[in-house]
Amino acid sequence: MKLLQDRVGSITGASRGIGRATALEAARQGARLILIARSREGLEETAHQVENEGGVRPQIIVCDVADESSLKTAFREMHGYTKQLDFLVNNAGILRDAVIGMISTKQILEVLHTNLISLIQIMQFAARIMMGAKSGSIVNIASIIGRSGNEGQVVYGASKAGVIGATKSAARELAPHGIRVNAVAPGVIATSMIANIPESKKEELLGSIKMNRLGQPEEVAKIICVLASDYSSYVTGQILGVDGGMWL
Amino acid sequence: MQEDKLTLSESELILRRAFANGLQISEESVNDALQYASTPGWDSVAHMALIASLDSTFDIMLDTDDVLELSSYPKAREILRKYGVRF
């Protein structure tokens, strides 16, 4: 029996990186998927890869999660596809690094809106669908930066610390409804989000990872799938580090 | 939308049932006096269950603003009219 056999799940930010890897792993584990992201091209590619691996072709919804009206439309569309939502992976996020004296209000709002406000709104919509079944699993993507902080990442760190707080609070509220809420906190993962980090900084980062290597998106995806599945049926409100021992 | 096919009294009965399911109370105790935070059992947690019940019963997705405004049984009727439900 596969981990997510016949489960219906939605993944935001599914056009690349951890989101795409999660879609592929969830499909391997038998899930039927609704994928959300801004890039139609990226979503089509993810859907194509899912199909190539023998999975059911996912529904795709093009949506900028930071745009509230677009988000509402996306969830209405999802509601039209299915009344079943067994798991949600709240993965959409952006990175806009700047030192504290160089952060514009526009940047602050952009990052908080995409990484935190929309994540909360998506949890609201998803929880409403899950409540009908009195079960479900929400997996939010936090970050090691939300726990430890990092130079140049005041806003990103604040947004991800917010994700951790939102996860724990939502877990308390939704547990009586049979809905679990957890987060994974990836360390330095080899995705396009870290492509612009200078080599010297990368070397420094590697030095702080006990396993002495970058993580792969697939390594995060596997943990997300466990949290989405009944293999973690008595786990809620937890923040699981996937960071090669970077945060100990 | 399925509601168009319903008679007025059917819509009212369905709404009453959705409230009873959402708030975990008997259908007999559903009436126009029901109010958020005043009616025993209709707290913020029950409100979420009520919204889920209304969403699934009427096959709609209430806007967040409507979720926040839905503060009484008559108000629910008023809001649902916006989604095409006839009473």
Side-chain angles (χ1 to χ4, degrees):
Chain A
M1 183 72 172
K2 293 176 178 175
L3 208 57
L4 294 168
Q5 191 68 49
D6 298 327
R7 298 299 168 100
V8 177
S10 182
I11 302 167
T12 69
S15 60
R16 62 194 169 125
I18 292 172
R20 175 176 287 169
T22 303
L24 290 168
E25 183 60 30
R28 276 181 215 119
Q29 296 299 335
R32 287 182 290 131
L33 298 170
I34 300 153
L35 307 179
I36 298 174
R38 282 180 297 186
S39 161
R40 176 175 294 280
E41 197 184 350
L43 283 174
E44 293 282 5
E45 177 56 29
T46 305
H48 181 67
Q49 289 187 22
V50 165
E51 268 190 310
N52 270 359
E53 293 208 10
V56 177
R57 181 172 176 83
Q59 297 284 352
I60 62 171
I61 301 177
V62 178
C63 164
D64 178 359
V65 296
D67 176 350
E68 193 176 345
S69 67
S70 170
L71 195 56
K72 279 182 187 170
T73 305
F75 266 82
R76 287 224 174 81
E77 202 177 325
M78 186 193 296
H79 205 237
Y81 290 143
T82 179
K83 305 291 177 279
Q84 181 188 350
L85 185 65
D86 300 303
F87 67 92
L88 163 77
V89 181
N90 233 332
N91 167 69
I94 57 172
L95 192 62
R96 298 281 184 274
D97 291 353
V99 292
I100 195 161
M102 300 293 287
I103 309 167
S104 68
T105 303
K106 184 170 174 281
Q107 260 181 320
I108 295 171
L109 293 175
E110 187 186 9
V111 173
L112 290 181
H113 218 120
T114 302
N115 291 6
L116 182 59
I117 296 173
S118 66
L119 175 136
I120 294 169
Q121 289 168 330
I122 292 167
M123 281 203 291
Q124 285 181 308
F125 285 125
R128 279 165 55 185
I129 300 175
M130 290 171 175
M131 268 182 196
K134 294 190 174 15
S135 75
S137 173
I138 296 173
V139 185
N140 294 324
I141 308 306
S143 166
I144 192 170
I145 307 302
R147 293 171 139 176
S148 63
N150 194 28
E151 296 91 342
Q153 296 193 309
V154 169
V155 183
Y156 183 77
S159 72
K160 292 300 185 179
V163 170
I164 290 171
T167 298
K168 289 174 180 256
S169 298
R172 286 174 183 267
E173 281 188 31
L174 296 175
H177 297 282
I179 300 167
R180 299 182 296 106
V181 188
N182 293 288
V184 296
V188 188
I189 307 299
T191 68
S192 58
M193 275 180 95
I194 65 154
N196 295 330
I197 296 178
E199 280 307 314
S200 59
K201 184 70 181 171
K202 275 187 192 159
E203 287 299 317
E204 192 186 315
L205 281 170
L206 274 176
S208 64
I209 301 170
K210 305 293 183 291
M211 292 179 75
N212 202 30
R213 66 173 176 86
L214 299 182
Q216 295 302 312
E218 294 74 20
E219 293 177 293
V220 185
K222 285 176 181 167
I223 295 300
I224 292 170
C225 288
V226 169
L227 288 173
S229 78
D230 286 347
Y231 271 47
S232 57
S233 56
Y234 201 53
V235 179
T236 195
Q238 301 305 304
I239 314 301
L240 192 53
V242 186
D243 57 22
M246 195 177 184
W247 196 74
L248 287 173
Chain B
M1 179 175 272
Q2 64 175 12
E3 290 75 33
D4 292 342
K5 297 173 194 159
L6 303 174
T7 66
L8 301 186
S9 58
E10 278 175 333
S11 297
E12 187 67 39
L13 284 172
I14 290 169
L15 178 60
R16 192 173 295 176
R17 200 167 302 141
F19 256 75
N21 285 338
L23 298 180
Q24 297 287 293
I25 57 177
S26 68
E27 282 186 44
E28 293 70 37
S29 52
V30 177
N31 57 52
D32 278 5
L34 288 185
Q35 282 220 321
Y36 174 69
S38 305
T39 300
W42 190 355
D43 57 14
S44 57
V45 174
H47 192 66
M48 292 182 69
L50 171 62
I51 298 303
S53 175
L54 293 173
D55 278 349
S56 63
T57 301
F58 292 99
D59 196 14
I60 56 175
M61 194 126 202
L62 290 165
D63 278 348
T64 308
D65 290 344
D66 291 327
V67 171
L68 299 176
E69 276 186 25
L70 203 155
S71 54
S72 69
Y73 187 74
K75 191 73 184 174
R77 216 184 271 125
E78 184 187 319
I79 288 170
L80 286 169
R81 281 194 186 103
K82 292 198 297 185
Y83 293 82
V85 182
R86 293 187 301 134
F87 292 96

